[in-house]
Amino acid sequence: MISKTRVPRIPWISVLVAVLAALAAALVAPGTAAHAAGTGGGTVRHGLSQPDYSYADAIREAVWVDTGLDGDGDGRGDRVAVDIVRPAEPAKAGRKVPVIMDASPYYSCCGRGNESQVKTYDAAGNIVQAPLFYDNYFVPRGYATVLVDLAGTDRSDGCVDVGGPSDVQSAKAVVDWLNGRAKGYSARTGGNGVKATWTNGAVGMIGKSWDGTIANGVAATGVAGLKTIVPISSISSWYDYYFHQGAPLQDGPEWLSDYVESDSAHAACAAEQQKIIDGSPRTGDWTPFWTARDYVKDAGKVRASVFAVQGMQDLNVRTKNFGQWWQALSAQGVERKVWLSQTGHVDPFDYRRSAWVPTLQRWFDHYLLGVDNGIQREPMADIERAVDHWTTDPAWPAPATRDTALTLGATGTDGLGTLGARPAAAGAESFTDDPDLWEEDWAAAADTATPEKTVFTTGVLAKDLRISGGGTVTVTASSSTTSAHLSAVLVDLGPETIRDYLGGGEGITTLDTRSCYGAATAGDSPCFLDTAADTETVDHNVFSRGWADLGHYRSLAHGVPLTPGKPCTMTIQLAATDHVVPAGHRLALIVAGTDGGLILPPDTTPRVTVDLARSVVRLPLVGGAASLRTTPAGSTPRGLSARRPAAPAPSFAGAADLG
């Protein structure tokens, strides 16, 4: 219906003046500029959230959320401690804000970040120092930061179960509370009910290592309200942290739970600790314990977008965890992005800080504030191709990647063979397990026949060869004893300068200077020690690896003793990577036994024979088989005169600390 009511005519100049005045006010008045539609979050100008809110005046509070569990068996529901820092201005104006959440077991035992920051509190029990920069940077931009002590750690009830239902539920319950589906209280026991009336329920989880692992686990529950996760060097299946296809990688998970549990949990969680020991035998068998800690199988439930970050030389949380999670998410069409660095177990804040912070801001602005800043349309993958030199790809693995079969051949010299696309030929190579040696020893002697390994190499490459993704090595092998562990290692033979991922900083060195990201209070500085790349020049570079227990050739469910001399066929999964072997270098595959310091040895010392005609390597080559071109036989490999000293194998004690 058209109204016939007369509307007084207003001079157009008056309208223009009014519009200009309103626009000017929006541009200059803090806290009054346009907000992202429907979010009620931070102030957004020029496609970015702006630091318009006071960090000094932010609301700091603690809430204990009921998880619905009683892991410590005290007859009361477990409550997990939730420390909150949120801007005061939106709350006063009735606007609701999104949440950036980091759920961790490390807030009191070990600390977070390169400077091992822990939570500190005032006399009232409210947080003073929140580790890392998230609160300093994002609270002024209209986000709340929420730091959760996982069950059994710091100020939380319950027991640590190392990535299991209790760990995941203790974080999921907080997402539920933020969305009005769980109960929160003002105290660990008793207290008043507390509701999260200040948030719109949009949550992004972030964290490195165990923290990011919990983000994966919570996302795999499909919980409503979790809009995005940013897992950094994180586990997707806990079996694959402790074993690799039956081969034990480190001591059992009970060590890790004992390491992070609070004193009260130590006293109350003996029964849960025994469940962990009983459920995770060192046989390498897949048990129900591992099924409960496998998030990959539930990738179909993931509703959140995923920004994954992984060090390709991470020997703590190995890239198999990233690769299988990424592949599962890809199959489900999850919105995703990835950064792959040349570091080990390192946060991107400490190797690419000036790019990481604004990228993370734009990611959260888009998925939590609803800002259409285009980040979801930008290249999917950032890859550190050389030290501090990054390239991008529209998708990952790289477009034009093809699963390419390569065969193993003999050369007439025992222990030295060929790797190429030629048809398989009859032959065999043998090695004797030596647990005192590891991949660096093998690679340093790649052109020398030694009894503990066999090496298969291409000719000198005529053009760059890019491997993008995770490959496999299928071997048909027989053991002289009833047990055998296998290692398969890809090596770039040729000179290059790389990050020293085997050094103490795993590819970074910490400087004396600081740079600041965000606002400060007397108890929480936004200024962090700067870092620089820690590099070394090498003549070989191990860039992917995989291990297996040959006794699990039939199934991961149950390993069997080997029949000496009887051939078994097993496919070893190689860690996901993205590496270019330059023209003038050679690609090598080393097949050996115990990779000392990275896997534990078998209970015998076998001699293993590999049937070359019944073995095959499948690599994700960009451009497929046509990309593997070599120069004529007899060409001299580039720069193989100086050998990289073989570094000592990493200790299991260090690797067992996830942080």
Side-chain angles (χ1 to χ4, degrees):
M1 179 184 296
I2 300 174
S3 172
K4 295 183 180 179
T5 304
R6 291 178 62 87
V7 179
R9 301 178 71 181
I10 301 173
W12 67 269
I13 191 64
S14 300
V15 175
L16 179 59
V17 170
V19 169
L20 290 175
L23 179 59
L27 289 173
V28 301
T32 61
H35 292 263
T39 68
T43 305
V44 176
R45 293 191 300 276
H46 311 299
L48 285 174
S49 56
Q50 300 295 324
D52 290 333
Y53 301 135
S54 170
Y55 180 69
D57 295 334
I59 297 169
R60 292 166 170 81
E61 58 187 333
V63 176
W64 279 262
V65 172
D66 191 340
T67 67
L69 304 174
D70 181 15
D72 50 20
D74 62 359
R76 295 184 296 107
D78 296 335
R79 296 180 183 179
V80 291
V82 181
D83 292 302
I84 301 165
V85 185
R86 57 187 174 92
E89 296 91 337
K92 293 175 182 177
R95 295 196 299 270
K96 299 180 185 294
V97 298
V99 170
I100 296 171
M101 175 173 152
D102 188 343
S104 176
Y106 291 127
Y107 283 131
S108 64
C109 73
C110 325
R112 305 311 297 130
N114 194 36
E115 299 175 51
S116 300
Q117 291 185 319
V118 297
K119 289 180 179 178
T120 63
Y121 298 93
D122 62 19
N126 293 320
I127 193 163
V128 173
Q129 176 179 269
L132 308 177
F133 75 100
Y134 306 137
D135 58 316
N136 308 86
Y137 190 82
F138 285 104
V139 169
R141 287 169 168 79
Y143 295 85
T145 55
V146 168
L147 280 64
V148 182
D149 297 331
L150 290 186
T153 70
D154 202 4
R155 303 198 297 174
S156 290
D157 300 331
C159 300
V160 177
D161 68 353
V162 192
S166 176
D167 271 14
V168 173
Q169 177 61 20
S170 62
K172 176 183 177 293
V174 178
V175 179
D176 285 331
W177 174 70
L178 292 166
N179 283 273
R181 298 187 298 266
K183 294 181 178 180
Y185 299 90
S186 60
R188 188 168 184 173
T189 59
N192 300 316
V194 179
K195 294 184 178 181
T197 57
W198 44 267
T199 178
N200 61 11
V203 180
M205 291 185 69
I206 188 171
K208 177 193 165 196
S209 202
W210 198 333
D211 304 18
T213 299
I214 298 304
N216 287 341
V218 175
T221 70
V223 62
L226 183 62
K227 302 299 184 183
T228 191
I229 62 171
V230 185
I232 302 165
S233 294
S234 301
I235 295 167
S236 61
S237 172
W238 283 83
Y239 177 90
D240 296 305
Y241 182 68
Y242 285 100
F243 298 95
H244 201 291
Q245 295 181 251
L249 299 174
Q250 40 206 324
D251 297 331
E254 69 275 6
W255 185 95
L256 199 51
S257 63
D258 185 69
Y259 183 60
V260 302
E261 274 183 343
S262 64
D263 290 341
S264 60
H266 276 309
C269 295
E272 183 63 37
Q273 185 82 340
Q274 191 60 48
K275 289 180 183 178
I276 293 173
I277 294 170
D278 294 343
S280 57
R282 304 308 293 153
T283 60
D285 291 351
W286 185 290
T287 66
F289 179 92
W290 302 117
T291 301
R293 290 157 178 79
D294 176 19
Y295 314 136
V296 178
K297 66 176 173 45
D298 293 321
K301 299 178 183 178
V302 175
R303 304 182 188 182
S305 62
V306 179
F307 186 176
V309 180
Q310 180 69 45
M312 291 185 286
Q313 294 288 16
D314 192 340
L315 297 179
N316 186 336
V317 179
R318 299 157 184 89
T319 60
K320 182 184 179 188
N321 274 278
F322 156 73
Q324 64 192 4
W325 184 233
W326 184 266
Q327 185 177 26
L329 296 173
S330 302
Q332 298 300 324
V334 172
E335 288 192 49
R336 62 203 181 279
K337 185 176 180 65
V338 64
W339 276 17
L340 298 173
S341 76
Q342 289 191 356
T343 66
H345 199 61
V346 184
D347 193 297
F349 187 76
D350 294 315
Y351 59 74
R352 202 188 183 195
R353 186 175 302 179
S354 61
W356 171 245
V357 175
T359 302
L360 186 63
Q361 178 186 355
R362 294 178 65 236
W363 185 264
F364 282 144
D365 281 357
H366 177 69
Y367 287 102
L368 298 181
L369 288 180
V371 180
D372 185 11
N373 53 27
I375 194 166
Q376 77 279 16
R377 296 185 292 273
E378 292 176 358
M380 179 184 290
D382 278 31
I383 301 164
E384 188 177 22
R385 187 60 60 210
V387 177
D388 285 331
H389 174 67
W390 292 76
T391 62
T392 62
D393 279 288
W396 197 87
T401 298
R402 301 289 181 268
D403 186 32
T404 305
L406 304 178
T407 57
L408 310 179
T411 63
T413 300
D414 289 346
L416 300 180
T418 62
L419 178 66
R422 62 186 63 83
E429 293 287 353
S430 299
F431 58 86
T432 301
D433 195 355
D434 186 348
D436 291 331
L437 301 176
W438 74 308
E439 59 189 42
E440 278 298 314
D441 298 303
W442 306 334
D447 291 320
T448 303
T450 58
E452 80 286 345
K453 71 180 190 323
T454 185
V455 184
F456 305 91
T457 59
T458 66
V460 177
L461 297 179
K463 58 179 288 187
D464 291 354
L465 179 69
R466 181 178 175 185
I467 295 100
S468 183
T472 61
V473 179
T474 299
V475 295
T476 297
S478 58
S479 170
S480 65
T481 62
T482 56
S483 62
H485 291 167
L486 299 176
S487 298
V489 173
L490 291 180
V491 189
D492 179 342
L493 296 177
E496 63 179 315
T497 298
I498 65 171
R499 287 185 182 266
D500 183 12
Y501 64 90
L502 296 176
E506 299 189 52
I508 65 167
T509 185
T510 303
L511 308 176
D512 294 330
T513 59
R514 291 183 178 271
S515 55
C516 305
Y517 289 83
T521 62
D524 196 324
S525 170
C527 302
F528 297 86
L529 290 170
D530 295 317
T531 67
D534 182 17
T535 66
E536 64 173 339
T537 299
V538 300
D539 71 342
H540 65 264
N541 184 14
V542 176
F543 64 89
S544 182
R545 61 229 358 122
W547 310 278
D549 170 55
L550 191 56
H552 283 82
Y553 72 97
R554 291 178 181 168
S555 168
L556 283 185
H558 185 60
V560 297
L562 299 172
T563 300
K566 180 181 178 179
C568 306
T569 300
M570 190 164 194
T571 297
I572 305 169
Q573 297 171 357
L574 294 172
T577 189
D578 200 295
H579 183 83
V580 174
V581 184
H585 289 204
R586 292 173 296 154
L587 172 65
L589 167 70
I590 299 175
V591 179
T594 300
D595 197 345
L598 295 179
I599 64 172
L600 297 175
D603 57 5
T604 64
T605 304
R607 181 166 178 79
V608 176
T609 300
V610 178
D611 183 340
L612 303 186
R614 298 168 64 192
S615 301
V616 64
V617 183
R618 295 189 179 276
L619 296 181
L621 302 183
V622 179
S627 65
L628 179 56
R629 297 181 186 175
T630 58
T631 58
S635 298
T636 303
R638 200 165 71 189
L640 293 183
S641 57
R643 287 290 176 193
R644 177 186 187 183
S651 70
F652 283 103
D657 176 5
L658 256 175

